[in-house]
Amino acid sequence: MSHRKFSAPRHGSLAFLPKRRIAQHRPKVKAFPKDDRKKPVHLTAFPAYKAGMTHILRISDKPGSKSHKKEVLEPVTLLETPPIVIVGIAGYVETPTGMRCLKTIWAEHLGEECRRRFYKNWHKSRKRAFVHAAKKWQDRLGKICIRRDLARMKRYCTVIRILAHTQQKLLLKRQRKADLLEIQLNGGSVEDKIRWAFRHLEKRVPVADVFAQDEMIDIIGATKGKGRKGVTSRWHTKKLPRKTHKGLRKVACIGAWHPSRIQYSVARAGQKGYHHRTEINKKIYRVGAAIKAKNGKLVKNSGSTDYDLTEKTITPMGGFPHYGEINNDFIMIKGSCAGSKNRILVLRKSLILQTKRSALEKIDLHFIDTSSKMGHGRFQTSAEKRNFMGPLKKDRLREQAAKK
């Protein structure tokens, strides 16, 4: 009977099986934070769109560390988070087999971008989604029905979630369908939650009402797709010797004679990437505001700090590659996150109580890099580039054309 000559740990974790593509492009929140009724009513998640990465400079605040009170350079990811619109309330009851939705109440007015989500082809459709739901708000019997549903939710439900959608018209994206998702309400009693949700129907909620700077959050999303890959790339198994017959990027033995089938734990070729993943403990470095007009002038200082007073937006020169400009509210997180540019992510409040020093550290940004990400960017703003380069030929030609 043969046996292996050397033993070694297995390659790749089995915790992520099955390695298949995400069921729907918009990620799903499979667990919400534990409810604390002593806190005020608040949302526990928020959708975002990945724009790109840059780096920042700050002073480290870690007593006892070698980097304490020294400048540190760190990579950050920018996520654009335009305000969401609340369009529904869903109440859940507990059953022996898990949570069950008891009632869903939709708002009277749903925007076109929200109703597009319920059609495969909006142009060819009759566009009559939620016509009957809207009529409930207009007659007496319908209003009585809505009040009865709310009373049933207050009496029987233990979990209240709101239905919210993103505002695609604020994003410079090709997609016109809004991304619709359920977000759980935590804090307060069930009556407080229903009252909060009812008051916020058809209203916009900004990301600043959900998350704050220095908070630790979890990010849920779909990873970058890599297509079909072999075992060396997919499971990081060891390559066979150079002279191996019929290729060396393989698994030498895929199992014994008996049991006469391949076990699930054996590394095999297949799908790599575009998986549903949750990444925990991402620190928020900044919750930025959208570009807005003040006293008849556009305020463009989302990329400025208390130490770098240069008036500049968070968008680098030339825009983020494959994304463009950030003109709405945004969140800056430390490090990288799953997904490609333009991809929707869901930001969720942390499930665990944060006690580590890195989680409780106060962030004070000194400098945010806004140089071009297309190559070796040297200038932070277009004004700085003009001062350095001097008058260009294209500027001279433009002036001559204007005089004519």
Side-chain angles (χ1 to χ4, degrees):
M1 183 176 175
S2 62
H3 64 277
R4 65 186 299 171
K5 194 171 183 181
F6 302 106
S7 63
R10 68 160 290 110
H11 289 274
S13 172
L14 297 176
F16 298 102
L17 288 178
K19 288 191 173 184
R20 62 185 174 203
R21 291 189 294 270
I22 188 172
Q24 57 180 6
H25 186 70
R26 192 260 302 157
K28 183 180 181 181
V29 182
K30 299 183 180 180
F32 286 98
K34 193 176 180 182
D35 193 6
D36 185 0
R37 298 196 171 196
K38 296 177 183 177
K39 294 180 180 178
V41 180
H42 60 275
L43 292 173
T44 52
F46 203 91
Y49 293 89
K50 185 174 178 179
M53 294 188 71
T54 184
H55 65 265
I56 56 98
L57 185 76
R58 69 180 183 92
I59 301 297
S60 177
D61 183 21
K62 290 184 179 178
S65 170
K66 288 184 178 180
S67 65
H68 182 51
K69 291 189 176 179
K70 291 183 180 177
E71 289 185 343
V72 290
L73 205 67
E74 291 176 332
V76 291
T77 303
L78 279 307
L79 308 172
E80 193 166 11
T81 53
I84 56 173
V85 181
I86 296 176
V87 292
I89 311 168
Y92 286 81
V93 292
E94 290 181 2
T95 69
T97 54
M99 305 296 291
R100 180 177 69 83
C101 186
L102 180 72
K103 281 292 175 184
T104 302
I105 296 171
W106 292 91
E108 182 179 0
H109 304 103
L110 269 67
E112 182 190 303
E113 54 192 356
C114 177
R115 287 182 292 127
R116 276 177 181 266
R117 174 52 57 187
F118 301 96
Y119 290 99
K120 186 75 173 176
N121 189 324
W122 174 257
H123 177 69
K124 289 183 179 179
S125 70
R126 295 175 63 192
K127 306 176 180 58
R128 286 184 55 81
F130 293 93
V131 168
H132 299 293
K135 283 180 181 177
K136 275 189 177 182
W137 294 87
Q138 295 163 7
D139 60 354
R140 193 176 65 85
L141 287 175
K143 288 178 180 177
I144 291 171
C145 184
I146 290 169
R147 281 201 295 270
R148 189 174 67 240
D149 290 346
L150 287 170
R152 287 193 69 196
M153 287 166 70
K154 288 177 184 178
R155 184 176 179 184
Y156 297 112
C157 292
T158 55
V159 172
I160 302 297
R161 296 176 181 172
I162 57 105
L163 290 143
H165 71 80
T166 57
Q167 297 188 79
Q168 300 304 122
K169 60 189 176 186
L170 297 180
L171 295 164
L172 300 175
K173 286 166 62 71
R174 187 165 170 260
Q175 177 183 329
R176 293 185 183 180
K177 284 183 185 180
D179 287 302
L180 188 70
L181 71 159
E182 272 191 6
I183 302 173
Q184 187 164 306
L185 287 176
N186 278 3
S189 64
V190 173
E191 290 184 9
D192 295 337
K193 292 183 178 77
I194 292 173
R195 197 180 302 117
W196 187 96
F198 193 79
R199 201 185 308 130
H200 284 79
L201 278 179
E202 299 182 23
K203 292 185 179 176
R204 289 157 181 76
V205 179
V207 71
D209 291 358
V210 184
F211 298 115
Q213 187 174 321
D214 304 329
E215 192 176 344
M216 299 291 277
I217 61 172
D218 303 336
I219 296 182
I220 307 163
T223 59
K224 279 186 183 178
K226 308 290 182 184
R228 183 180 171 83
K229 292 284 185 179
V231 288
T232 308
S233 173
R234 194 179 186 222
W235 291 96
H236 307 292
T237 54
K238 195 173 179 66
K239 283 165 59 175
L240 300 178
R242 180 183 62 83
K243 294 181 73 174
T244 308
H245 182 55
K246 290 188 178 178
L248 47 82
R249 295 173 64 90
K250 298 174 180 289
V251 173
C253 178
I254 59 170
W257 191 313
H258 291 290
S260 55
R261 53 195 168 269
I262 300 172
Q263 296 189 31
Y264 79 97
S265 56
V266 176
R268 306 290 277 164
Q271 174 69 26
K272 182 183 179 183
Y274 201 50
H275 305 308
H276 189 280
R277 294 288 179 264
T278 302
E279 205 169 355
I280 67 169
N281 295 344
K282 290 292 184 181
K283 195 172 182 73
I284 295 178
Y285 274 15
R286 172 171 282 193
V287 179
I291 295 173
K292 56 185 180 297
K294 188 177 181 181
N295 299 328
K297 186 181 178 183
L298 279 177
V299 179
K300 296 183 176 181
N301 59 356
S302 55
S304 307
T305 65
D306 294 339
Y307 305 90
D308 177 24
L309 301 176
T310 309
E311 188 174 333
K312 59 181 182 178
T313 62
I314 199 70
T315 306
M317 288 187 66
F320 284 102
H322 307 289
Y323 187 84
E325 298 180 351
I326 291 181
N327 295 319
N328 300 293
D329 299 342
F330 67 90
I331 275 187
M332 178 191 290
I333 61 161
K334 180 185 177 181
S336 62
C337 69
S340 60
K341 313 287 190 306
N342 280 298
R343 186 158 293 178
I344 184 172
L345 306 168
V346 177
L347 315 180
R348 182 190 65 190
K349 286 187 176 289
S350 181
L351 300 183
I352 56 179
L353 182 65
Q354 300 292 341
T355 55
K356 289 188 176 180
R357 188 171 61 180
S358 58
L360 303 176
E361 183 181 2
K362 298 294 180 185
I363 302 299
D364 189 16
L365 299 180
H366 280 220
F367 170 75
I368 301 169
D369 180 62
T370 55
S371 62
S372 174
K373 305 303 171 192
M374 300 288 186
H376 301 282
R378 291 189 296 165
F379 308 105
Q380 296 296 317
T381 61
S382 54
E384 182 185 336
K385 183 178 180 180
R386 280 196 303 270
N387 292 338
F388 182 84
M389 303 290 285
L392 300 176
K393 182 181 178 181
K394 62 180 180 181
D395 298 329
R396 191 175 72 247
L397 294 173
R398 194 183 299 119
E399 288 176 6
Q400 291 174 0
K403 288 177 181 178
K404 289 178 182 179

